[in-house]
Amino acid sequence: MSINTVVPLAVALTVFGIGGIAVWLIAAAQLHTVLSDQKNYVVQKINQEFSHRDELLQVFADRAKQGCSDTLQQEMRRALFNHEAIRDIAILDDDTNEIRCTALLGVLERPARLRPEARMPTPREGRFVWLDPKGLNYPGSTSVVLFREGPLAIVSYPTWPDGLPDHRDWEITATAPDRGAKVTVLGQPGISADYQWSRWNPFVSLLHLRTCELENGIICLYMKAGLGELVTSEWPLLVTGNLVNGALAVLFFLQLRTHLQHRNSVGGRIRRAIRSGGAQIRCVYQPIIDLRSDRVSGCEVLARYEDEYGPLSPSQFIPEIERQQLTWAFTEIVLSRAIEDLGPILDRHPELNVSVNFFPGDLDDSHVERLSTNQSLRRAARSKFRLCFEILETGILSADHMLKVQSFLDRCGFLIAIDDFGTGYSNISQVRDSRVDLIKIDRSFVQELDRKLPAMRASLVGPMVEIARSIDVDVVAEGIETESQLSQIKDLKVRFGQGFLLSRPLEIDAFRTFVQTDRNNAPRTVVSLKRV
């Protein structure tokens, strides 16, 4: 997959993941609210139970010292009707620690002894707790808690679990003030341990709850909701949220892919490069050879483009430059690069001719001020830089629109060349009126010269040379790639040649070496193009 797909896909998956987490947390928060409501209900019921317990301990504390009288047992039974959370009231023998009678069971035939080692202290001095003490057999008995203070004990059992759903996991723990050990009083052991683990896991922490607001923090309530409950209770939110989340992820993917496709398209890459100064554009230089002396006469500046996405060929980026009307900005970058690169070479060979391709629309008379104020062209003019403006044949079919431009070029000592000659429809008078200095025969004509069968384009090379000679204009044959082509070009008395056989386009360092050394390792001389 291309980067235009990989990056949007990664972002979309990230958005979907973050959105999924958000939906999960929102659903968990709603379930946490349910847990909180249930916690408040339980705390209210337990506080009510503790309030009844304290009230009964206060009412019967002194009278319990009188023993198990029938009158006291009747009053204790009446008190149970007004305190529904209390299961029973018991009277103990303070010396033996044995339960003698209770409001519900009456006088016990066999006293129930409370084992001292099983008791747990409470924050209040002299009050102790036993869990499920032995010897108290109640019909349909459930877990009971016995609070003892002196000779009186209050037996209670939790009624509040009936108000919780059957699937709710909960645990009540108590911490002994003297030992600091935590024990499970009621509920399912292990819920408190799960809570401690959940504190480090934000994805499940909302499914756990703890409150230690009972008995001055000695008693804690833990509650837990399972993942299955989250799904079953919050499925509308989970389904709707993830559908919206998925739609957003798809939208992000499509929007970002479209943006990247536009940004990473040829047009987007070229536009950003030119607007940012053209660091991605470099110049290479293809020598133009005087075929009479086999010496360097000049070079053609060719632009190359490469960015972080890879190189682009001229056939890819030149049409985009024209389409986006960035031709002059592009030409300014090429001119600046070429003059900077060639400066040291021009110091040694001031008559070296440098050909630069210009877009016809940039040489219209309406743009002559832009040409005259360009810093690169002004520098070239001051340094007697032999600059040759290469223009497509179709750009000079009517020279009337270039009169001011030609006057400016004449004043600066610059040359004009018709590039890709033969591909347009100009005639001799049009070429003569355009006042060009050089004609460059298109490579498509030259490359057919060495075909075995006669070719129409090859047959036109000779007449082209004659046209140029008749108006006293020199000729450059482009695209020479074989010895046969070179031989026939020389036979036609073409003075200048350019092509892979003579030299490929060279980086600036290689071009500097090429200028200085000929094929026989002898110093090269520089031959100037003729100025008419």
Side-chain angles (χ1 to χ4, degrees), residues 51 65 78 91 149 184 192 225 229 326 337 494:
S51 175
K65 298 176 182 178
R78 281 197 295 268
I91 297 176
E149 187 171 341
T184 299
S192 57
E229 181 182 355
L326 298 172
R337 296 272 192 283
V494 174

Side-chain angles (χ1 to χ4, degrees), residues 270 274 278 280-286 300-306 311-318 321 330-331 333-335 337-338 341 355-357 359 505-507:
I270 293 297
I274 292 179
Q280 300 85 346
I281 300 171
R282 76 179 198 282
C283 294
V284 294
Y285 306 91
Q286 186 170 29
E300 180 178 357
V301 180
L302 302 172
R304 296 292 183 263
Y305 181 94
E306 184 170 5
L312 294 174
S313 68
S315 63
Q316 291 177 294
F317 66 80
I318 293 298
I321 290 173
F330 171 76
T331 302
I333 292 172
V334 172
L335 277 173
R337 296 272 192 283
D341 287 349
S355 296
V356 178
N357 291 280
F359 295 90
L506 304 172
E507 300 291 342

Side-chain angles (χ1 to χ4, degrees), residues 47 65 144 159-160 178 281 284 299 319 324 406 408 482 492 497 519 525:
N47 282 331
K65 298 176 182 178
V144 297
T159 58
W160 47 264
D178 58 343
I281 300 171
V284 294
C299 68
Q324 299 187 51
Q406 287 181 321
F408 167 74
T482 66
L492 291 172
R519 298 187 184 110
T525 58

Side-chain angles (χ1 to χ4, degrees), residues 46 58 84 88 105 174 261 476 525:
I46 293 177
Q58 183 177 5
E84 61 180 17
D88 204 354
L105 300 178
Q261 285 175 339
V476 177
T525 58

Side-chain angles (χ1 to χ4, degrees), residues 6 27 54 74 139 142 145 226 250 285 305 320 371 448-449 503:
V6 172
D54 293 342
Q74 290 177 358
T142 60
V145 181
V250 171
Y285 306 91
Y305 181 94
E320 279 297 326
L371 290 171
E448 290 194 3
L449 287 175
S503 176

Side-chain angles (χ1 to χ4, degrees), residues 221-354:
L221 168 66
Y222 296 87
M223 303 183 76
K224 171 186 174 182
L227 296 179
E229 181 182 355
L230 176 66
V231 174
T232 55
S233 64
E234 302 297 335
W235 70 266
L237 173 61
L238 292 172
V239 171
T240 304
N242 281 298
L243 285 176
V244 173
N245 182 35
L248 287 175
V250 171
L251 181 62
F252 264 91
F253 173 79
L254 295 176
Q255 291 284 353
L256 186 56
R257 186 179 65 173
T258 300
H259 171 73
L260 287 180
Q261 285 175 339
H262 176 71
R263 176 182 174 82
N264 298 332
S265 65
V266 173
R269 292 162 63 184
I270 293 297
R271 181 172 57 255
R272 288 196 310 278
I274 292 179
R275 290 179 178 176
S276 62
Q280 300 85 346
I281 300 171
R282 76 179 198 282
C283 294
V284 294
Y285 306 91
Q286 186 170 29
I288 299 175
I289 306 299
D290 188 321
L291 300 180
R292 297 177 184 176
S293 60
D294 192 27
R295 294 294 183 266
V296 179
S297 173
C299 68
E300 180 178 357
V301 180
L302 302 172
R304 296 292 183 263
Y305 181 94
E306 184 170 5
D307 57 16
E308 64 270 25
Y309 302 106
L312 294 174
S313 68
S315 63
Q316 291 177 294
F317 66 80
I318 293 298
E320 279 297 326
I321 290 173
E322 292 181 296
R323 186 182 67 81
Q324 299 187 51
Q325 299 181 347
L326 298 172
T327 54
W328 181 245
F330 171 76
T331 302
E332 284 186 306
I333 292 172
V334 172
L335 277 173
S336 177
R337 296 272 192 283
I339 292 175
E340 181 179 354
D341 287 349
L342 295 171
I345 300 176
L346 296 175
D347 290 339
R348 298 189 60 182
H349 305 286
E351 293 191 6
L352 180 67
N353 292 276
V354 178

